[in-house]
Amino acid sequence: MEWDSQHFSNLGRLNFRSFYTAILEKDDEIISAASIRIRGREMAEMPFVGTESKCRGQGFLRKFLVAIESALHFLNVENLIIPASIEIVGMWTQKFKFSHIASAMIRTIISSNTLMFPKAVRLQKSLLADDAEADNAAMEVNEVQNNEVQQNRDKRPPFIDINLDPSEEAIDA
């Protein structure tokens, strides 16, 4: 299939271009998936993230978010923005350290035309922390990877693959 302008909406609010899919696999099974769009250095948006229902409550989402945040931090993205349903705002703010949008960020989000859902609340997480927080995040990434390797000595080690430039074959598929 050849992609041209007729496959994309001219309405900004329906623009789904430039999304990347992040996947967490275990034993060749997809455990978690997320859609991420990087909006320059200032922010990335992650409107969709989910974990297989039978794998919930086992820490996979935390591992997945650590990997995503680490990759975005490596790319010097300053903030991760998510829409959250009102019922689970507490989970995002307490477990994953997201916060309500800072007033300085609101204009950027509006001008970037991020994906939003009815009755959802936008949350943000700063990714470029001070050195102490960055060291803690690095330790958490290492701990997650070491635990995974320890549990799967005979299996392949965890691997974070960031494909920033999809091949032409992937686009044509």
Side-chain angles (χ1 to χ4, degrees), residues 58-118:
Q58 299 176 39
F60 288 112
L61 182 57
R62 178 171 302 286
K63 291 177 183 182
F64 191 42
L65 288 174
V66 166
I68 290 170
E69 292 168 13
S70 177
L72 292 172
H73 179 82
F74 175 79
L75 295 170
N76 291 319
V77 176
E78 296 173 6
N79 296 286
L80 178 59
I81 309 297
I82 62 169
S85 65
I86 295 168
E87 297 83 17
I88 61 170
V89 166
M91 177 197 75
W92 287 108
T93 58
Q94 294 165 15
K95 283 178 107 175
F96 301 110
K97 307 297 185 226
F98 279 80
S99 60
H100 290 274
I101 299 294
S103 58
M105 195 67 182
I106 292 173
R107 180 173 286 155
T108 302
I109 291 170
I110 291 170
S111 67
S112 296
N113 201 19
T114 59
L115 195 56
M116 189 58 176
F117 303 99

Side-chain angles (χ1 to χ4, degrees), residues 73 127-141:
H73 179 82
L127 302 175
L128 297 182
D130 62 24
D131 289 340
E133 288 183 39
D135 289 344
N136 288 339
M139 286 173 48
E140 189 173 348
V141 169

